[in-house]
Amino acid sequence: MVGRQTHKRAYRFRFYPTPEQEQLLRRTVGCCRKVYNLALEARSTAWTVEHRNVTYVQTSAMLTRWKKTAEYSYMNEVSCVPLQQALRHLQAAFSNFFKQTGDYPKFKAKSHGGSAEYTRSAFKWDAEHNELTLAKMREPLPVRWSRTLPRKTEPSTVTVSLDAAGRWHVSILVEEAIQTLPTRKHAIGIDLGVDSYAVTSDGEIIANPRHYEKLAERLAREQQALSRKTKGSNNRRKAALKVARTYARITDMRRDFLHKLSTRMIRESQTVILEDLNVKDMAKRCAPKPDPHDPNHWLPNGQSRKTGLNRSIMDAGWAQFRRMLEYKAEWYGRQLITIDKYYPSTQICSHCGAKTGPKGMPGLKVRAWTCPDCGTSHDRDLNAARNILAAGLAVSVCKDGRTGTKVSH
């Protein structure tokens, strides 16, 4: 049934600030980074030395004291709202760490860019003329409005970000009534891999675009040029910016591919089923070993065997693809099912159900095999996709929580 549901949705745009705006924004982003790092150091030290927990309220009081000192008096030159939001983000990072849904918070580096979040009291929004003016600014941001924002909506937060390539973006969070898609009877299982990016239970093979490999040679040249530059020089900063822009290009290509693929999967199927892959563990297992004298570890061209596979796993962006499927399924009234990561999808014959043993890691060893029980010939990935589909449909019907399966509506 087609209807409308209200969801929070962020619209991201590129903008080109004036020199005066860029100076203020760089100062704001730098202050947010400094506040985050100071609070993280204070909380870590308090726990390590005194076994004392520091709360968000206490770090907020610390911020007030820091701004009164001569060393950090420059923090008074920017809006206080982004600084408070930086402390809230640190609190959220610690909460995720204690819930075991995230890693321990890390210090923010200047070379990675940065961001500043403004709540409703720290910006002005003119819906009639599409003008966004941040606190401490006289003129609206020169935003390139590549998409139309929903009518009669007021942004709740605005996040300004600077990436390592020197590009400015603004993300505007609004509440939008999104129309759900018409219900379909089609369900699909997806087996993610490295050789092919994905194979579906319908037999479709989605080629792996290998975005990193397309720009690997240019990136290698730029990194070599960077290594020859003197540390701290302007030429080194220029070379580092070239490297960052190439990485940004790879990221943009990957994001574009994943958005198009995830949108198509959600539009064509009512139920999408994936394996709950442990990407971090797979990448670690494929990382190069430290022994440089192992002759089986190196390819003829001098490249590490596992480095190539590890790089391909990280370049694929499986976790990002899953996140896109999750929120798009929620938006458009679809169902996303993730089956347990220990489910032996490659070991089971999809025709007779016989378990035939391990077939090696994705991209290695057996690519096609014949079931010894029923004699059916299988392509490894297609067979896995069909098993994923069957397991996901069984869980959605039986509601069996013992497998650790997650179902998103």
Side-chain angles (χ1 to χ4, degrees), residues 32-291:
C32 290
R33 179 175 56 250
K34 187 66 176 178
V35 167
Y36 186 96
N37 289 342
L38 286 173
L40 175 56
E41 182 180 10
R43 294 183 68 153
S44 300
T45 303
W47 178 256
T48 303
V49 177
E50 306 174 23
H51 296 284
R52 177 172 56 89
N53 185 29
V54 177
T55 64
Y56 160 75
V57 175
Q58 291 172 314
T59 56
S60 183
M62 291 178 187
L63 174 60
T64 302
R65 293 195 297 270
W66 293 334
K67 293 168 74 173
K68 292 179 180 179
T69 63
E71 184 179 2
Y72 301 122
S73 60
Y74 60 85
M75 292 181 182
N76 294 295
E77 299 175 5
V78 303
S79 172
C80 63
V81 173
L83 305 185
Q84 291 289 346
Q85 291 300 103
L87 295 179
R88 289 190 175 93
H89 293 161
L90 178 61
Q91 178 62 35
F94 271 106
S95 297
N96 292 333
F97 171 71
F98 291 124
K99 293 176 184 175
Q100 298 184 349
T101 58
D103 296 330
Y104 191 83
K106 297 180 181 178
F107 291 99
K108 294 183 180 293
K110 183 178 180 180
S111 59
H112 295 167
S115 63
E117 184 178 270
Y118 295 78
T119 57
R120 193 64 189 89
S121 61
F123 66 87
K124 295 180 182 178
W125 170 248
D126 185 350
E128 184 178 353
H129 301 96
N130 261 21
E131 290 183 347
L132 176 65
T133 308
L134 302 178
K136 304 278 187 178
M137 287 188 182
R138 301 183 217 175
E139 301 176 351
L141 288 180
V143 181
R144 297 295 182 264
W145 300 104
S146 55
R147 289 185 292 172
T148 303
L149 287 173
R151 293 182 180 180
K152 300 179 181 180
T153 56
E154 287 289 330
S156 57
T157 61
V158 169
T159 302
V160 174
S161 60
L162 172 66
D163 63 14
R167 304 179 302 178
W168 287 99
H169 292 90
V170 58
S171 181
I172 303 174
L173 185 66
V174 299
E175 281 198 356
E176 181 181 358
I178 301 176
Q179 184 172 357
T180 58
L181 295 172
T183 303
R184 301 183 58 130
K185 295 183 179 180
H186 186 250
I188 193 170
I190 303 175
D191 178 61
L192 299 174
V194 173
D195 188 21
S196 299
Y197 185 83
V199 176
T200 71
S201 54
D202 294 338
E204 180 185 4
I205 299 176
I206 300 165
N208 190 344
R210 301 183 186 276
H211 300 108
Y212 185 92
E213 290 185 7
K214 293 178 181 178
L215 297 174
E217 290 185 7
R218 186 171 84 179
L219 186 60
R221 289 195 303 269
E222 292 171 348
Q223 288 174 329
Q224 288 173 358
L226 173 63
S227 66
R228 291 193 291 265
K229 300 296 186 292
T230 304
K231 290 186 177 181
S233 65
N234 286 331
N235 285 335
R236 185 176 178 86
R237 281 191 287 270
K238 292 177 183 178
L241 186 60
K242 285 185 178 181
V243 173
R245 285 174 176 169
T246 302
Y247 273 116
R249 174 63 178 161
I250 294 171
T251 301
D252 290 344
M253 291 164 57
R254 182 186 302 117
R255 185 186 297 115
D256 180 70
F257 167 75
L258 295 178
H259 267 301
K260 290 176 179 177
L261 178 60
S262 59
T263 299
R264 181 167 69 87
M265 293 296 178
I266 290 296
R267 290 189 180 277
E268 293 178 355
S269 304
Q270 183 66 31
T271 303
V272 179
I273 306 168
L274 293 173
E275 271 187 304
D276 187 14
L277 297 175
N278 189 341
V279 179
K280 279 188 177 182
D281 183 59
M282 294 176 67
K284 285 180 181 178
R285 283 188 288 153
C286 295
K289 294 180 180 179
D291 183 9

Side-chain angles (χ1 to χ4, degrees), residues 283 285-289 297 303-311:
R285 283 188 288 153
C286 295
K289 294 180 180 179
H297 182 64
Q303 184 184 16
S304 167
R305 290 183 185 275
K306 288 194 174 183
T307 299
L309 184 56
N310 176 58
R311 181 181 297 157

